[in-house]
Amino acid sequence: DHFTRHGYSPDFLLFVEPLIYILQDQNFAEFAISVITSMSSHHECAISFKNYGLVPYFEQLLKIPKYKKNAKIFLSNVFGKNSSK
């Protein structure tokens, strides 16, 4: 999470699949949601997360107060002016 806030590296894309897998584990989902949200601020990562089908997941998170802010940020990044819809 810390590194994604200070710039982009193509190596971030290596973490996309593992983070999606981690989302399935209740013990680590909160961590994965946070990191995915941060990574989605980078256009390449946003596209990758969208292509892996995470939009519906984050749309569902809008209904959970604890994750609503993350969901709004993620969806804004994915559908923002610099991303392909």
Side-chain angles (χ1 to χ4, degrees):
D1 187 33
H2 173 77
F3 295 109
T4 64
R5 295 173 192 227
H6 296 284
Y8 174 73
S9 169
D11 291 337
F12 292 168
L13 296 174
L14 298 172
F15 295 97
V16 170
E17 285 187 48
L19 283 166
I20 293 169
Y21 180 76
I22 290 170
L23 277 177
Q24 299 171 28
D25 185 332
Q26 277 190 310
N27 295 317
F28 298 105
E30 186 172 352
F31 161 79
I33 290 166
S34 177
V35 175
I36 289 169
T37 301
S38 293
M39 286 177 62
S40 73
S41 68
H42 301 290
H43 178 71
E44 296 85 349
C45 294
I47 291 170
S48 187
F49 288 130
K50 183 180 178 187
N51 290 340
Y52 272 96
L54 285 188
V55 169
Y57 181 86
F58 276 82
E59 288 173 338
Q60 289 299 311
L61 290 182
L62 287 171
K63 300 174 185 176
I64 304 170
K66 180 178 184 177
Y67 299 119
K68 188 173 184 174
K69 181 178 178 183
N70 289 83
K72 283 184 176 182
I73 292 169
F74 175 86
L75 294 168
S76 175
N77 289 337
V78 168
F79 294 116
K81 61 182 179 180
N82 294 325
S83 295
S84 305
K85 289 190 178 184

